[in-house]
Structure formats: structure tokens, C-alpha cells
């Protein structure tokens, strides 16, 4: 940074981005506290909700959906399995694939946790109008799209690798 450049915190975009990041952090901490009586943490809830919504999803597809590595997931799944909340079954068409499903106990716990999360979201987002909530959602969706698109250099590198493989 040179002397002529403004400091980043003087930029409203920087300031607003920090506010978004802090809100996300505080929400995560609030959710963790609210889930304590159920003896689960937000990463467990992410898994349970995804299994609730997509019964039989593969471990790899779940890892992709959660934006985590399979190794991270491999540490959390046994905890949930040991508690009797989920089962892993082999895929009859592909023995390399494990399919994940909630047990009845897992479904019950997921519904309780979803009620806690929904109440927290309603309370939090209740500080904004419906229009403001929709705007936040639209902007966050655009940001996700922007950040998940490969940049030009990355796309060119991927194209080069593909050509070399062919």
C-alpha cells in the first residue's frame, strides 16, 4: 500500500464487508449456544439438515455441498453415527460410494434443531423489512456467484490442463 492509497477501512465496501463477516460470526456463535442443549454444533446441523433434505446422498456429494473436504466430513460422520443419528450404507451400484441417511432419532433431532435455527433466523432477520431481507439475499447470492466463478487466469490454466490430458 502506498501513501496515496486510502486505508481499506475508509472504503465503505470494506466497512460493510466487515459488518457482514461479523454478523456471520456472531450468528454462528449464537447458533452454537442455542444448539448446546441438543449436544450438537453447527457443523453437525449442516450435515443433518442436508441428510434430511437429500436422503441417501453420497459422502462426496455431501462434502461438495458443504464446501468441506472429505477428511473434515470423515471426522464428523462417525460422531453422528455413534450417537445413532445417521447410518452409512454401501451403494449397490458402486461399492466405492457410501450413502448417508438419518435414523428416526436423527430425523427427530434434526427437526428440533431446525426449529431452534429457524427461531434464531426469524429473530435476527426480523430487524429488517421483507424488502431489506430480500435485498440481502440477492446481494449475497451475487457475491457467492462472483466468488465461485473461476477468474480468467484460473480458467485458462484449467483449459491448458485439459488440453494436455487430451
Amino acid at each position: 500500500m502506498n501513501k496515496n492509497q486510502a486505508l481499506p477501512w475508509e472504503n465503505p465496501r470494506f466497512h460493510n464487508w466487515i459488518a457482514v463477516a461479523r454478523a456471520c460470526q456472531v450468528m454462528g456463535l449464537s447458533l452454537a449456544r442455542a444448539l448446546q442443549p441438543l449436544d450438537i454444533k453447527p457443523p453437525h446441523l449442516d450435515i443433518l439438515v442436508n441428510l434430511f433434505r437429500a436422503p441417501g446422498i453420497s459422502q462426496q456429494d455431501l462434502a461438495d455441498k458443504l464446501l468441506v473436504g472429505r477428511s473434515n466430513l470423515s471426522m464428523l460422520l462417525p460422531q453422528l453415527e455413534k450417537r445413532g443419528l445417521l447410518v452409512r450404507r454401501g451403494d449397490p451400484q458402486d461399492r466405492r460410494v457410501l450413502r448417508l441417511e438419518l435414523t428416526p432419532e436423527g430425523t427427530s433431532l434434526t427437526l428440533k434443531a431446525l426449529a431452534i435455527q429457524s427461531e434464531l433466523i426469524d429473530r435476527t432477520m426480523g430487524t429488517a423489512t421483507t424488502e431489506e431481507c430480500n435485498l440481502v439475499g440477492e446481494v449475497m447470492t451475487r457475491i457467492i456467484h462472483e466468488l465461485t466463478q473461476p477468474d480468467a487466469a484460473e480458467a485458462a490454466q484449467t483449459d491448458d490442463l485439459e488440453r494436455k490430458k487430451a
Side-chain angles (χ1 to χ4, degrees), residues 44-73:
H44 297 127
L45 179 59
D46 288 342
I47 292 169
L48 295 171
V49 168
N50 277 281
L51 297 184
F52 184 81
R53 294 189 70 203
I57 190 171
S58 73
Q59 277 189 226
Q60 183 60 56
D61 288 344
L62 180 60
D64 292 345
K65 212 172 191 21
L66 296 176
L67 304 174
V68 299
R70 280 183 54 190
S71 61
N72 286 2
L73 204 53

Side-chain angles (χ1 to χ4, degrees), residues 50-148:
N50 277 281
L51 297 184
F52 184 81
R53 294 189 70 203
I57 190 171
S58 73
Q59 277 189 226
Q60 183 60 56
D61 288 344
L62 180 60
D64 292 345
K65 212 172 191 21
L66 296 176
L67 304 174
V68 299
R70 280 183 54 190
S71 61
N72 286 2
L73 204 53
S74 294
M75 293 182 346
L76 294 170
L77 291 176
Q79 296 169 9
L80 297 172
E81 192 172 31
K82 186 177 178 182
R83 286 184 58 187
L85 302 176
L86 67 85
V87 292
R88 293 187 268 188
R89 293 192 175 97
D91 185 317
Q93 274 82 41
D94 187 344
R95 291 181 176 209
R96 298 169 295 171
V97 175
L98 286 175
R99 300 277 170 196
L100 306 167
E101 292 183 21
L102 292 176
T103 63
E105 295 83 11
T107 299
S108 175
L109 184 71
T110 301
L111 291 171
K112 289 175 188 172
L114 274 171
I116 290 169
Q117 184 183 41
S118 294
E119 188 279 324
L120 182 59
I121 290 169
D122 287 345
R123 191 180 91 221
T124 304
M125 296 305 283
T127 63
T129 67
T130 300
E131 293 77 20
E132 290 169 328
C133 286
N134 291 339
L135 181 58
V136 168
E138 291 167 18
V139 171
M140 291 297 113
T141 300
R142 290 196 309 257
I143 288 170
I144 291 166
H145 179 76
E146 176 65 26
L147 294 175
T148 56

